[in-house]
């Protein structure tokens, strides 16, 4: 069948060809319009089939209007015939006016079919005219102008009747009962012609369908079908079809160069080019040539969608993947072919045939192509509405890409290009890291199931179809060497480990960083918090992440939030809070995780920024549930903050663990009436309020009533853990708040209150005593807690505050002298370290200060102050000692804090991304701390 | 009497050439009472007033005073204040009261008077009156049974420095001026005319204990201590702020020095090259270069004043706590008996 078609094209003589285009166009237009006319006449001129212009004596107003309209339509048709856009435009205006009248007469809301038909016809003709570039060029200027304005008008006008037009296009029969067979077919063909692109796509997709068409058209004899192929295409075909055996490498090469040269030029259809190149691959003489052409095909396919915002059509994408697989087939099959993009290969490199044994260099970059394919896949997922079926269908294409990536990676490893292989591995990692084991399993099963039946079958069928339709056999037959089915290990972790270790070994910095983040994310997903945390801390990514690109920062944020969720699941509340608080401090979680754009009230974004942001968005299936994230963050903040608030009633502002939480609480406290909780925030606030009173059961019930918990893995154990924590914190809060009201409290009572085991209660209370949070002691025989009233007076509290301020001042003074003296600072820390007696340290401080030359004035006051203080009695110097002591221990505390941020858990906040401002200030301090660390090392 | 005054005026004029330093401020009892009344009535808001009197040798006699109306932060009203002052002076002259301005008095809260404003006002007065004092009265401290009255003036070296408005570390070292040297306190001598003294003796009750003595025995001092503490904390904050300013300055200074060095190095290398090529070397100083623009050093005045305040508070705390210890011991002894 196909060959018939091809030969048919070939049998036409060339002269005929040149003006055939237009001829066909006009004839088709004519026949179509004729058909339409007759149809309308039949329809509307109800009494007789006599044609237009016949004078009737009795006519209803309605008929009259219709007739007028029909005559206008006729005029339009005439104008179409001679391609006169000026008069067409006039007629169009006229018909619009008439429409109004008709509507008035018929008193119907719906525009008459006649009008719609005319619109359809006009639209089709317009599209046709626009598609025909040559004819357009030939048009007179006034005509061309009219064409353009017509285009605008029609577009505007048709919008109102869009629905009806579509209906009309879909099934003209339903509208027209007296439809004739002939006209229907005409109509359909008419439709076809104006959408050659669509048609071609359709043909590409399923050849059988196309052949059906061909059948039809071939029978028809008339060749609207021919029209969809451009002249060039046909020429090309003829050139090769005349005598397949005569095709030489040279001809193919020439043609190939020609086609490639046309790329990007105005007037070159992108789809056409893909078509042509695909055809050329079939006639390529050597594998190298085929490869070369295939590379061009792939890049031409990338060209199909030029915009940055849209995505590649999905079927093109699929074909692209198939092409890549064929490329790999060739590369694997002929190991002497080398792909390289660094050197411009020899002109005739691809002439070397099968016999040639030396390496053949072909220009191309597999990794770049693969990455581009991945990007296109990602973009398509960004664009498709996630709530439609399309999205799911699109997601099913993922294994296809994974196969390709796997194959490319294997090939690259075999070739020894590990650097590129690591890049490919990263792409694979990025497709897998966010999948929990269940999803991974599902994907594995899907790929196992469908690869055989659906995808693979389709693919092979497709390629078979091609070969059949185009040429009997391709010159270079490439066996499917490369696996078409992905092989996934049982466990996603295994796969991740393999890929990630490859990347760590060979990847560049960015690749490694990304892989590390993915790795962390995946570990966190599998509830392996310690491993994920160690990875994060060892990689020092927190320090360096602000220097990386934005998408990596987003990945970092994702990893952090996942880490937080993981910490929460395993019951490490403060760690969870540490991971998440930073994310929530700015109130722009959505943006930080690239899961939607949040409007900022204060500054408008430029469209440019908005577009950039939209391109960064994560596809829906990769999203981290924001509600869950918020719930986890707030609940962990609640668990930490409620006892903290209870402990520091006097100066609430001093120790704030979670600013965000405090703010929310303030806001919710301001409300005059609090309704039943509505969202996550309300729930947590309600729980906080009852927890402040120590009512754990109510708090827990409120929290549990959140329905986001169903997104948590092993929900029951997590909730059990949560309940436990809430009880514990409730106990602590209770003790903080009400200990002053008791003189003693029996342990039994407490265990009964909080539904905790005796040993548990005992340990909690004891811990509080040890930490000096609770001024009490155990009375063992009676099992009671005996409280001691050591409430600070206001004066004492103020004194404490003052000492704190003083120590800060002293600290910064020292830092200043250190910075100034430089050398003097070096011997300061050790002295300070063994300076358990603070006087020595103070002396060292003032000593260093006095050695500081220009700083004398300030140090003056300092030393004077300290000497003055020393003059006072024991009590006073004790206070001083305390002050200094707390200052120094604080210094050490921060030092160890830093160390722990490096080597241990917790306090991610400080060294995280956002804390950039203080870094300069912190510089010397962290210096000190590292020095202290090394010193400690020496000592121990 | 007018003749005597005139003579004393002449005396003053004659002695002025010698200009002995101010030793004592001699205040009339009436003036003190007026000041106390004015300050106490408006406490805790702060009030000011004018001191009138005579400058006799090393003694500054304050013989009269009048309060200023409550000031508000408005330029217009400030102008009114000046008018009021002039008008008042004119009226006083008309009724033949001393109307020679010798300074001003103001109330304060726990001695928090060492501010830039005070110095500015002082400098303003100093321009017109060679010898002027500021009397500070602290009503809150007076509640403790003390007459918290202080006469202050700025030290000469400080004034000189202030006029040049140059409080860099170098200058201060040059002048050997430290924070203690800003203010000078002048002893106050209260004088009453014989008539008044006699009258007072007449009025004096038989009991040797006065209300003032009872006040002194008051045991609760915590509120005062707390306030002092709060002020101290505030001062600490301010001082930290000053310190940060300095740190910032030194950081930028060292950065600039590094830049200068780099520039010099570059210029030298260039000069070497030029020398080799036989060209004239370029100058090693380039004033137009922004790198060489000297950075303004932050003023030390603020930190000096804060330090003064701090010492003031500390002294107060010391005094109060010392006294209260005494009282407590006394109480203890009484209880034991």
């Amino acid at each position: 069948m196909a060959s018939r078609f091809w030969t048919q094209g070939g049998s036409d003589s060339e002269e005929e060809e040149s003006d055939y285009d237009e001829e066909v166009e006009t004839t088709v237009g004519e026949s179509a319009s004729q058909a339409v006319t007759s149809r309308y006449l039949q329809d509307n001129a109800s009494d007789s089939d006599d044609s237009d212009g016949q004078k009737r004596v009795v006519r209803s107003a309605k008929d009259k209007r219709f007739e007028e309209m029909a005559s206008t339509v006729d005029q339009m048709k005439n104008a179409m015939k001679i391609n006169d856009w000026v008069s067409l435009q006039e007629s169009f205006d006229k018909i619009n006016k008439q429409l109004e009248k008709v509507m008035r007469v018929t008193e119907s809301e719906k525009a008459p079919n006649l009008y719609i038909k005319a619109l359809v016809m006009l639209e089709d003709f317009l599209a046709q005219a626009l598609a025909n570039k040559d004819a357009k060029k030939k048009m007179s200027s006034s005509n061309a102008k009219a064409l353009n304005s017509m285009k605008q008008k029609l577009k505007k006008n048709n919008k109102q009747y869009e629905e009806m037009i579509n209906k009309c296009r879909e099934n003209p029969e339903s509208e027209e009962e007296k439809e004739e067979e002939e006209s229907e077919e005409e109509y359909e063909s008419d439709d076809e012609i104006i959408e050659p692109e669509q048609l071609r796509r359709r043909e590409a997709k399923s050849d059988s369908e196309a052949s059906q068409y061909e059948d039809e058209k071939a029978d028809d004899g008339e060749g609207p079908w021919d029209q969809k192929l451009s002249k060039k295409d046909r020429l090309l075909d003829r050139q090769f079809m005349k005598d397949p055996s005569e095709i030489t490498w040279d001809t193919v090469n020439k043609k190939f160069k020609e086609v490639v040269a046309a790329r990007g030029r105005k007037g070159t259809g992108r789809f056409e080019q893909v078509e042509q190149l695909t055809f050329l691959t079939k006639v390529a003489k050597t594998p190298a040539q085929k490869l070369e052409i295939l590379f061009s095909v792939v890049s031409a396919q990338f060209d199909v969608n030029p915009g940055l915002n849209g995505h590649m059509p999905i079927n093109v994408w699929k074909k692209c993947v198939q092409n890549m697989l064929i490329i790999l087939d060739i590369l694997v099959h002929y190991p002497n072919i080398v792909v390289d993009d660094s050197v411009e290969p020899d002109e005739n490199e691809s002439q070397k045939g099968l016999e040639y044994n030396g390496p053949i260099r072909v220009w191309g970059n597999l990794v770049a192509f693969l990455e581009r394919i991945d990007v296109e896949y990602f973009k398509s997922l960004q664009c498709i509405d996630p709530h439609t079926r399309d999205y799911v269908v699109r997601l099913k294409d993922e294994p296809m890409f994974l196969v390709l990536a796997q194959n490319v990676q294997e090939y690259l490893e075999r070739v020894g290009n590990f650097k590129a292989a690591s890049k490919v591995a990263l792409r694979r990692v990025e497709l897998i890291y966010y999948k929990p084991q269940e999803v991974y399993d599902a994907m594995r099963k899907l790929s196992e199931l469908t690869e055989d039946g659906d995808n693979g079958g389709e693919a092979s069928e497709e390629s078979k179809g091609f070969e059949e339709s185009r040429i009997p056999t391709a010159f270079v037959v490439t066996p499917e060497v490369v696996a078409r089915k992905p092989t996934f290990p049982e466990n996603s972790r295994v796969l991740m480990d393999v890929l990630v270790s490859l990347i760590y070994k060979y990847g560049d910095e960015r690749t490694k960083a990304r892989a590390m983040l993915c790795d962390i994310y995946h570990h966190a997903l599998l509830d392996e918090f310690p491993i994920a945390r160690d990875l994060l801390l060892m990689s020092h990514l927190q320090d360096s992440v602000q220097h990386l690109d934005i998408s990596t920062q987003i990945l970092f944020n994702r990893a952090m939030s996942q880490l937080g969720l993981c910490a929460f699941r395993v019951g490490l509340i403060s760690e969870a809070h540490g991971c998440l608080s930073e994310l929530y401090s700015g109130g722009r979680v959505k943006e930080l995780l690239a899961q939607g754009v949040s409007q900022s009230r204060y500054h408008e974004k430029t469209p440019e920024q908005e577009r950039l942001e939209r391109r960064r968005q994560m596809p829906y299936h990769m999203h981290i549930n924001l509600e869950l994230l918020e719930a986890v963050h707030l609940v962990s903040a609640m668990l930490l903050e409620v006892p903290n608030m209870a402990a520091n009633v006097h100066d609430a502002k001093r120790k704030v663990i979670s600013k965000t939480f405090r703010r929310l609480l303030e806001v919710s406290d301001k409300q005059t009436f609090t309704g039943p909780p509505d969202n996550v925030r309300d729930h947590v606030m309600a729980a906080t309020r009852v927890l402040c009173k120590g009512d754990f059961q109510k708090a827990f019930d409120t929290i549990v009533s959140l329905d986001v918990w169903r997104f948590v893995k092993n929900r029951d154990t997590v909730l059990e853990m949560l309940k436990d924590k809430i009880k514990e914190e409730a106990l602590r809060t209770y003790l903080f708040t009400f200990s002053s009201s008791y003189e003693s409290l029996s342990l039994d009572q407490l265990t009964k209150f909080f539904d905790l085991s005796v040993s548990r209660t005992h340990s909690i209370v004891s811990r509080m005593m040890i930490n000096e949070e609770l001024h009490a002691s155990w009375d063992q025989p009676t099992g009671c807690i005996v409280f001691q009233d050591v409430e600070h007076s206001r004066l004492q509290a103020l004194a404490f505050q003052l000492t704190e301020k003083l120590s800060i001042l002293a600290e910064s003074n020292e830092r200043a002298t250190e910075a100034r003296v430089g050398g003097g600072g070096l011997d300061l820390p050790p002295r300070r370290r063994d300076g358990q007696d603070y006087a020595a340290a103070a002396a060292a401080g003032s000593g260093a200060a006095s050695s500081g030359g220009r700083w004398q004035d300030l140090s003056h006051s300092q030393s004077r102050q300290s000497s003055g203080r020393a003059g006072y009695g024991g009590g006073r110097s004790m206070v001083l000692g305390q002050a200094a002591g707390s200052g120094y221990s604080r210094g050490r505390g921060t030092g160890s804090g830093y160390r722990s941020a490096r080597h241990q858990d917790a306090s991610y906040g400080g060294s995280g991304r956002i804390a950039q401002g203080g870094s300069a200030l912190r510089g010397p301090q962290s210096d000190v701390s590292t020095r202290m660390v090394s010193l400690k090392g020496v000592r121990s | 009497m007018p003749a005597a005054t005139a003579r004393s005026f002449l005396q003053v004029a004659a002695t002025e050439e010698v200009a002995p330093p101010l030793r004592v401020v001699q205040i009339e009892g009436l003036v003190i009472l007026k000041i106390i009344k004015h300050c106490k009535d408006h406490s805790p808001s702060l009030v000011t007033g004018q001191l009138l009197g005579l400058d006799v040798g090393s003694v500054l006699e304050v013989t009269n005073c009048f309060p200023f109306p409550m000031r508000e932060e408005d330029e217009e009203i400030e102008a009114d204040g000046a008018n009021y002052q002039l008008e008042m002076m004119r009226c006083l002259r008309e009724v033949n009261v001393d109307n020679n301005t010798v300074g001003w008095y103001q109330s304060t809260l726990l001695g928090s008077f060492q501010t830039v404003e005070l110095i500015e006002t002082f400098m303003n007065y100093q321009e017109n009156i060679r010898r002027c004092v500021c009397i500070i009265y602290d009503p809150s401290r007076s509640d403790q049974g003390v007459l918290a009255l202080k006469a202050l003036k700025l030290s000469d070296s400080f004034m000189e420095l202030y006029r040049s408005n140059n409080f860099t570390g170098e200058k201060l070292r040059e002048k050997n001026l430290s924070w203690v040297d800003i203010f000078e306190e002048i002893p106050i001598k209260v004088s009453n005319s014989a008539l008044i003294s006699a009258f007072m003796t007449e009025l004096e009750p038989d009991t040797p204990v006065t209300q003032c003595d009872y006040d002194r025995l008051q045991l609760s001092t915590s509120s005062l201590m707390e306030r002092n503490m709060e002020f101290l904390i505030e001062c600490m904050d301010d001082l930290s702020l000053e310190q940060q300013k300095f740190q910032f300055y030194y950081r930028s200074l060292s950065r600039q020095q590094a830049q200068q060095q780099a520039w010099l190095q570059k210029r030298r290398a260039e000069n070497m090259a030029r020398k080799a090529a036989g060209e004239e070397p370029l100058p090693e100083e380039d004033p137009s270069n922004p790198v060489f623009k000297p950075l303004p050093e932050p003023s030390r005045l603020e930190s000096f004043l804060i330090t003064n305040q701090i010492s003031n508070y500390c002294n107060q705390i010391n005094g109060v706590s010392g006294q209260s210890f005494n009282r407590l011991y006394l109480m203890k002894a009484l209880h034991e008996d």
Side-chain angles (χ1 to χ4, degrees), chain A residues 225-240:
Chain A
W225 175 243
D226 285 32
Q227 209 157 7
K228 78 187 172 59
L229 291 171
S230 75
K231 223 186 284 172
K232 213 195 261 169
D233 216 1
R234 251 174 283 131
L235 269 171
L236 183 102
D237 294 337
R238 212 173 307 117
Q239 199 176 348
F240 292 115

Side-chain angles (χ1 to χ4, degrees), chain B residues 253-271:
Chain B
L253 193 69
S254 62
R255 207 179 302 136
Q256 196 194 31
Q257 275 166 353
Q259 275 174 349
Q260 280 176 0
Q261 281 304 317
W263 188 84
L264 263 181
Q265 215 115 52
K266 210 177 125 205
R267 182 45 69 88
R268 284 201 184 122
E270 206 179 324
N271 275 343

Side-chain angles (χ1 to χ4, degrees), chain A residues 794 805 812-813 855 857 872, chain B residues 230 237 243 247 300 318:
Chain A
R794 194 174 143 67
K805 295 262 182 214
S812 60
N813 227 349
W855 281 84
D857 317 313
Y872 291 106
Chain B
E230 273 164 21
D237 283 341
Q243 197 178 35
Q247 265 177 5
R300 304 274 172 106
N318 273 338

Side-chain angles (χ1 to χ4, degrees), chain A residues 794-795 798-799 801-802 805-806 808-809 812-816 820 853-858 861 864-865 872 876 920-921, chain B residues 169-170 173 178-180 222 225-226 229-230 232-233 236-237 239-240 243 246-247 250-251 253 297 300 307 310 317-318:
Chain A
R794 194 174 143 67
L795 187 61
L798 281 171
Q801 214 174 327
L802 182 65
K805 295 262 182 214
L806 267 173
I808 291 169
L809 194 68
S812 60
N813 227 349
E814 243 166 73
R815 241 182 290 144
R820 179 88 193 115
R854 282 179 81 169
W855 281 84
Q856 253 169 1
D857 317 313
L858 271 178
S861 60
R864 201 175 293 192
Q865 255 176 334
Y872 291 106
R876 201 135 226 281
L921 248 171
Chain B
E170 215 168 321
R173 251 196 312 287
S178 84
W179 58 272
V180 266
S222 69
M225 293 288 265
E226 275 166 21
M229 220 51 157
E230 273 164 21
L232 255 182
I233 287 167
M236 286 300 156
D237 283 341
L239 207 56
S240 307
Q243 197 178 35
F246 266 92
Q247 265 177 5
Y250 273 103
R251 221 177 304 132
L253 193 69
E297 193 179 323
R300 304 274 172 106
T307 321
I310 291 173
I317 291 174
N318 273 338

Side-chain angles (χ1 to χ4, degrees), chain A residues 302-345:
Chain A
F302 287 142
D303 279 351
V304 164
N305 174 49
L308 276 168
N309 293 320
H311 63 93
M312 200 161 152
I314 290 165
N315 44 30
V316 178
W317 186 86
K318 280 184 182 160
K319 275 178 80 180
C320 199
V321 173
Q322 293 304 332
N323 280 333
M324 283 296 283
L325 283 172
I326 296 172
I327 288 174
L328 280 176
D329 281 339
I330 297 172
L331 285 173
V332 174
H333 198 65
Y334 305 101
N336 57 340
I337 300 178
V338 180
V339 176
D340 202 347
D341 66 339
S342 53
V343 279
E344 198 60 39

